[in-house]
Amino acid sequence: MPSNINVSDDLVDLIPNSYIETILDKDINDEKKRDKNKMRMLLRSLARNESSIVNNQTLLKDIDDYSDDDELLGSRNTLADYLDVLTRLYVIENQEAYSEISYNRF
């Protein structure tokens, strides 16, 4: 049984928030320095678009709608790089869409 299963309601978001902050503070930067605020805006956009099929242009527009000029991911290359980092860190993963065909394979 996970030790955080009985955490009080006022502390329930502490572990997930700490996990995201650690990723943003330490893990997103490798040989390249990435902007923590831009990455946070991308994560928020991905969360808003959960269970939807969106393209990179939709993510950029969504980020633009919820950010100021300093937080905007300005280019497709930057967005692709940020998505790649999140994928390599196993924070996001594209899932195959459900269909009768994929269901019947099992």
Side-chain angles (χ1 to χ4, degrees):
M1 174 198 260
S3 61
N4 64 343
I5 197 112
N6 295 319
V7 172
S8 65
D9 289 345
D10 58 327
L11 298 175
V12 75
D13 63 344
L14 184 63
I15 292 173
N17 285 339
S18 296
Y19 178 69
I20 295 296
E21 285 304 312
T22 299
I23 290 170
L24 294 174
D25 287 337
K26 298 179 181 177
D27 296 334
I28 63 170
N29 297 310
D30 44 25
E31 69 277 350
K32 187 187 260 186
K33 179 109 170 103
R34 294 175 181 87
D35 187 288
K36 177 180 176 177
N37 291 326
K38 290 179 182 179
M39 189 66 81
R40 185 186 316 277
M41 293 302 296
L42 176 57
L43 286 170
R44 286 180 181 160
S45 179
L46 290 167
R48 275 192 294 276
N49 290 292
E50 173 105 17
S51 300
S52 301
I53 298 174
V54 296
N55 59 24
N56 288 358
Q57 194 62 30
T58 302
L59 292 173
L60 286 170
K61 173 140 179 33
D62 185 46
I63 292 168
D64 186 32
D65 289 346
Y66 288 93
S67 65
D68 60 33
D69 290 338
D70 292 334
E71 295 173 326
L72 179 61
L73 282 169
S75 74
R76 292 179 192 191
N77 291 338
T78 302
L79 178 63
D81 175 59
Y82 280 35
L83 289 170
D84 179 61
V85 168
L86 293 173
T87 301
R88 286 187 284 129
L89 292 170
Y90 299 99
V91 175
I92 62 171
E93 183 175 349
N94 287 328
Q95 298 290 314
E96 184 178 321
Y98 173 82
S99 69
E100 283 290 324
I101 294 168
S102 63
Y103 178 76
N104 289 329
R105 288 192 309 199
F106 298 107

